[in-house]
Every structure is written in C-alpha cells, then in structure tokens.
Amino acid sequence: MPSRGGRSPALRRSGRTAYSTSKPATLYLVHAYARLLPAGIDAVAYNVPGTGLARDAGPVARFAMRRVLPAPTLTPLALSPGAAGRRLADVVLGTTPAPSGSYVDRGRAARSSEESYDPGREAALLETLDGLTAPRTGRTAGQ
C-alpha cells in the first residue's frame, strides 16, 4: 500500500538498500581509479554529512533523525553544509592532504571500512561496469 509521498514501504526499503550499497561501491571505484588513472589525476572519496537518507523512513526513524540526531550539530562532530563545502574545497585545492585513493572524513584523510578494500568485490564491480558501458555492437555474449 502506498504511503507518505506515494512510495510503498518496500520501495523505501529498496531505496535505502541501494544507498547503503552505493557507499562501498564508491570506495571500490576510488581505490581502483587511484591505481588505474595516470599520474596527476587523483580519485578521492569525500564523506558528505546530512544527505537526507531518512526522508522516506518510517515515523520513528524520521523523528530520531530530526529531533535526536541533530544534537551532535552542537558539537564538533557534525558539520553545517557550508563547513562541509569549505572542507571539500580544501581537498580539491590541496589545502587538505588527500592522496589519490583517500577517503576524506571531517577534514582529514582516514581509512575507510575494511570491506571497502575487498579486491574481489572491487574486481566484480569493475567487470560489471565494463559490461554496462561496453559499446553495443548487436552481437550477443560469446560471439
């Protein structure tokens, strides 16, 4: 049954799943590009706080995201959009050291999750992307 905004609970769940799986996929690509791109072209992942992930969540999750989780914004643990943008600019301009393949969080290069360094998953993603972006010749696989 459709709910808030006309989206069904299953559709909202699938959206959150897609978002949460895209995060490690981004890191796989950054690590691969850091190895594959020519010198002088860097690939860096930048953590962006406040993405609005819970906008289609259930009422309890929305309440927590709106009323409980904003409390850390009063501390140095959270960033305003302007502060996050300035930190991103610092990475792009080289003010914040971030070598190719870095994951930048809160203004510094940090190690990403152990999962994000899985060479098998990285290879599988690159293979899938190659298949999705290969020129279409009208031939079927194996020809």
Side-chain angles (χ1 to χ4, degrees):
M1 159 177 22
S3 61
R4 184 179 175 279
R7 296 184 185 110
S8 71
L11 184 58
R12 289 194 313 268
R13 272 192 307 280
S14 67
R16 285 191 297 274
T17 298
Y19 177 84
S20 65
T21 56
S22 72
K23 296 292 275 194
T26 299
L27 293 168
Y28 298 143
L29 284 175
V30 164
H31 297 153
Y33 289 158
R35 282 193 328 277
L36 299 172
L37 291 172
I41 300 177
D42 296 335
V44 176
Y46 180 78
N47 184 38
V48 179
T51 59
L53 175 62
R55 68 182 163 269
D56 289 324
V60 173
R62 283 195 318 271
F63 174 81
M65 294 297 269
R66 289 186 182 139
R67 303 290 183 227
V68 178
L69 293 179
T73 61
L74 304 174
T75 72
L77 299 176
L79 297 175
S80 69
R86 283 188 296 281
R87 287 190 177 175
L88 176 57
D90 287 343
V91 172
V92 171
L93 296 172
T95 307
T96 297
S100 193
S102 295
Y103 170 72
V104 177
D105 186 32
R106 310 225 180 264
R108 66 178 181 81
R111 184 157 173 84
S112 55
S113 68
E114 286 304 314
E115 176 191 7
S116 73
Y117 295 94
D118 183 323
R121 288 183 176 189
E122 180 184 302
L125 178 62
L126 290 175
E127 183 178 323
T128 298
L129 291 175
D130 283 346
L132 292 171
T133 59
R136 303 289 181 222
T137 61
R139 295 183 295 167
T140 60
Q143 285 184 325

